[in-house]
Amino acid sequence: MTDPALLVRDLDETELLARVFPLLPPGEATDVGPGDDAAVVRAPDGRYVVSTDVLVEDRHFRRRWSSGYDVGRRAAVQNLADVAAMGARPTALVVSLVVPGDLPVAWVTDLARGLADATSPVGAAVVGGDLSGGDAVVVAVTVHGDLAGRRPVLRSGARAGDVVAHAGVRGRSAAGLALLDARTAVPSDGAPGASGPFAPLVAGYLRPWAPLDAGPAAADAGTTAMLDVSDGLLRDAGRLARASGVVVDLDRAALEPDVAELADAARALGSEDPEGTALAWVLSGGEDHGLLATFPAGTPLPEPFRAVGHVRALDGQGPRVTLDGHEPAVGPGWDHFGGR
Amino acid sequence: MTDPALLVRDLDETELLARVFPLLPPGEATDVGPGDDAAVVRAPDGRYVVSTDVLVEDRHFRRRWSSGYDVGRRAAVQNLADVAAMGARPTALVVSLVVPGDLPVAWVTDLARGLADATSPVGAAVVGGDLSGGDAVVVAVTVHGDLAGRRPVLRSGARAGDVVAHAGVRGRSAAGLALLDARTAVPSDGAPGASGPFAPLVAGYLRPWAPLDAGPAAADAGTTAMLDVSDGLLRDAGRLARASGVVVDLDRAALEPDVAELADAARALGSEDPEGTALAWVLSGGEDHGLLATFPAGTPLPEPFRAVGHVRALDGQGPRVTLDGHEPAVGPGWDHFGGR
């Protein structure tokens, strides 16, 4: 147990890394792990998938809501989902971490535990990192994956007639964020999300889960296009539509179970239109990290994919997303850069 | 030419990326470049080398001294050097970039040009990235390299009797930083480092150069241990000594040309002991990004390595660095984390 009063500024970089490295178990693909100028990772199929994502304090998380463990889990999961969305399995991560001097060392070791807990179960590992001081916490993760001979699944392969399917949760992270926001506005008696009927939604925001096995499974099943839904279903479906030159038509009825599940939370927050609020979370909420994929009609969908729409040919109005054939009546979603 | 008045906050993430991606030429190893959930990079020898390094505004650079181009070059070079230090050739980089809203867009596109100019000549490319808003600029780069069948060169293989050799510049970056510091304290009439007899030293700090070919060449020549000198010769030699369980004895006479070259700058800065100041820069100055390597005695040193000392067996006082057999009389070097 790290002394909670021990701060980052009390240690030098070497001492801090000495507390972090032992928390990071080696991965199945690791030849040389942390501690040298670089790590060496195996890439048995002669290629590797690589992606990077950055989390910035007070943009992507707040320290009063998210523990170091939560941030570590989130940073890992959002990166792992990018690998899965290519049809690959995650193998190795490196992490650049910027920390203020007054951050407790325990926050950093909790972050390492969160990273380890999200990566170890899928056979991936943190193989290297860098630490720097700074005024706000920044966690930049780069993730790598192995395609095991699969063709990488791009966003650009969707064809008219394909089924649009989604794996993972829809709108939970946005609902969880709204609940945390409301609790902050009207302080309650417990730690945010620690208990109560909506605790799973709050956890969905703080510690998102991604259906990582579904990515390679979709590739094996013949998915034509796929991407990670990090910025909201509408926004990310729009990216797939533009990359593929098609119209993605979502099916409102297919999203009804999600809307029904989240309407109670919208009601509890005082929404005058709980179903509308829940639908907005489902369509525009970011950071759920599900996978959106298209499959040729008739393809048996691998678990846990569920059909949520169809791909239509362009009709003169350009690539876009429709809901039951019409322009959706909610905003486009989350912009990580400019905020909502 | 980007309008200098156009700020980051005037664009959304997609618009900003659309200005950056065209500045990043594809690399020789790139299968899938920027724009999808992840890139795909070839790893012909079934492994890849990977390392990450982060630069933080006002910790590692100041915007009034360093242009976006300078920071891009520096971020690339310090990462490329880590790959070279393993005996590998750089292939691909990904970049996570945090930018304040009031940063000119031209600063970001200049950064991309700096990254491209440092990576393209060695056949490497930026294959992906992420952008976020934040209060200070943070540039987190992850670099990958190809060993082409070579054994990765670790820090731990130095043996008593080995020659210690260095490739690259020594102390120039620290001298350049001291010159910039002095010009700021006593404002001069020109842009820092733009001209004058010491401009090459200032450039050595702003736009460091690393002997990237020397890494694989050292591996091919049979180097027993190697690392990138980013935190000062003494500090990094100490890391090699500890990892290998040896004493690294540096030869003061071998460093004399560097001391002589930098003493004029120390004199111009008013040092009462110009040779001593120059020696401190050579021994303790960070961010030169040369390579320190050990070779079995009698090995012909590949260019541009120069012998700077010998490896001695442990003598009861533990792994350490000595200068002509004695404890060096200057500090240990640069701590990127806590500062100097």
Side-chain angles (χ1 to χ4, degrees), chain A residues 86-97:
Chain A
M86 301 297 284
R89 290 197 182 278
T91 52
L93 296 85
V94 295
V95 182
S96 272
L97 181 63

Side-chain angles (χ1 to χ4, degrees), chain B:
Chain B
M1 188 73 188
T2 306
D3 174 4
L6 187 70
L7 303 181
V8 159
R9 65 168 167 248
D10 300 326
L11 302 179
D12 68 19
E13 181 175 2
T14 306
E15 291 165 339
L16 188 52
L17 287 175
R19 288 165 182 260
V20 168
F21 283 161
L23 304 173
L24 302 171
E28 298 166 8
T30 313
D31 266 5
V32 176
D36 221 288
D37 288 77
V40 182
V41 181
R42 286 192 289 281
D45 102 338
R47 302 166 299 172
Y48 55 93
V49 162
V50 55
S51 180
T52 190
D53 255 328
V54 62
L55 290 178
V56 179
E57 181 178 357
D58 291 337
R59 303 272 170 154
H60 302 93
F61 66 89
R62 294 177 196 282
R63 264 197 273 158
R64 64 182 163 163
W65 290 348
S66 293
S67 67
Y69 183 85
D70 292 340
V71 174
R73 285 274 299 260
R74 175 122 66 104
V77 165
Q78 73 176 32
N79 275 276
L80 297 170
D82 283 325
V83 162
M86 301 298 284
R89 290 197 182 280
T91 51
L93 295 84
V94 295
V95 181
S96 271
L97 181 62
V98 178
V99 286
D102 63 359
L103 189 72
V105 169
W107 199 95
V108 179
T109 51
D110 280 350
L111 179 105
R113 286 190 189 93
L115 287 166
D117 281 1
T119 52
S120 293
V122 296
V126 178
V127 299
D130 190 28
L131 276 169
S132 172
D135 291 336
V137 176
V138 177
V139 189
V141 173
T142 301
V143 64
H144 305 82
D146 177 28
L147 284 161
R150 293 181 198 91
R151 178 184 50 82
V153 182
L154 307 184
R155 302 174 174 187
S156 51
R159 296 292 170 260
D162 284 356
V163 170
V164 178
H166 182 275
V169 298
R170 289 163 288 266
R172 281 180 162 245
S173 185
L177 179 58
L179 288 160
L180 280 170
D181 259 334
R183 287 186 199 203
T184 301
V186 185
S188 69
D189 53 350
S195 63
F198 304 123
L201 301 181
V202 171
Y205 167 76
L206 293 176
R207 293 181 296 281
W209 165 85
L212 299 178
D213 290 340
D220 291 340
T223 181
T224 51
M226 184 157 53
L227 84 176
D228 162 44
V229 181
S230 53
D231 297 337
L233 196 51
L234 289 184
R235 186 181 285 262
D236 284 312
R239 290 177 172 142
L240 188 149
R242 283 192 299 278
S244 297
V246 297
V247 176
V248 169
D249 184 39
L250 297 175
D251 176 7
R252 170 72 174 77
L255 304 172
E256 186 51 37
D258 302 306
V259 172
E261 188 189 350
L262 299 179
D264 279 349
R267 209 167 285 119
L269 288 172
S271 169
E272 295 181 1
D273 174 14
E275 299 249 320
T277 298
L279 181 62
W281 287 335
V282 170
L283 290 175
S284 302
E287 305 192 332
D288 278 325
H289 301 297
L291 296 174
L292 188 71
T294 55
F295 296 88
T299 305
L301 297 181
E303 283 296 329
F305 278 99
R306 182 149 53 102
V308 295
H310 289 85
V311 178
R312 315 271 186 215
L314 288 185
D315 54 8
Q317 294 182 61
R320 67 195 189 285
V321 183
T322 54
L323 184 66
D324 288 345
H326 302 287
E327 187 178 344
V330 295
W334 177 271
D335 181 352
H336 274 282
F337 186 61
R340 270 170 299 184

Side-chain angles (χ1 to χ4, degrees), chain A residues 140-162:
Chain A
V141 173
T142 300
V143 65
H144 305 82
D146 177 29
L147 284 160
R150 292 182 198 90
R151 179 184 50 81
V153 182
L154 307 184
R155 302 173 175 187
S156 50
R159 297 292 170 259
D162 284 355

Side-chain angles (χ1 to χ4, degrees), chain A residues 209-311:
Chain A
W209 164 85
L212 300 177
D213 289 340
D220 291 340
T223 180
T224 52
M226 183 158 54
L227 84 175
D228 161 44
V229 181
S230 53
D231 298 336
L233 195 53
L234 288 183
R235 186 181 284 264
D236 284 311
R239 291 177 171 141
L240 188 148
R242 284 192 299 279
S244 296
V246 297
V247 176
V248 169
D249 184 38
L250 298 175
D251 177 6
R252 171 71 174 78
L255 303 173
E256 185 51 37
D258 301 306
V259 172
E261 188 187 350
L262 298 179
D264 280 350
R267 208 167 283 118
L269 288 172
S271 169
E272 295 181 2
D273 175 13
E275 299 249 321
T277 299
L279 182 62
W281 287 335
V282 169
L283 290 174
S284 303
E287 306 195 327
D288 276 326
H289 300 297
L291 295 173
L292 188 72
T294 55
F295 295 89
T299 305
L301 297 181
E303 283 296 329
F305 278 99
R306 181 148 55 104
V308 295
H310 289 85
V311 178

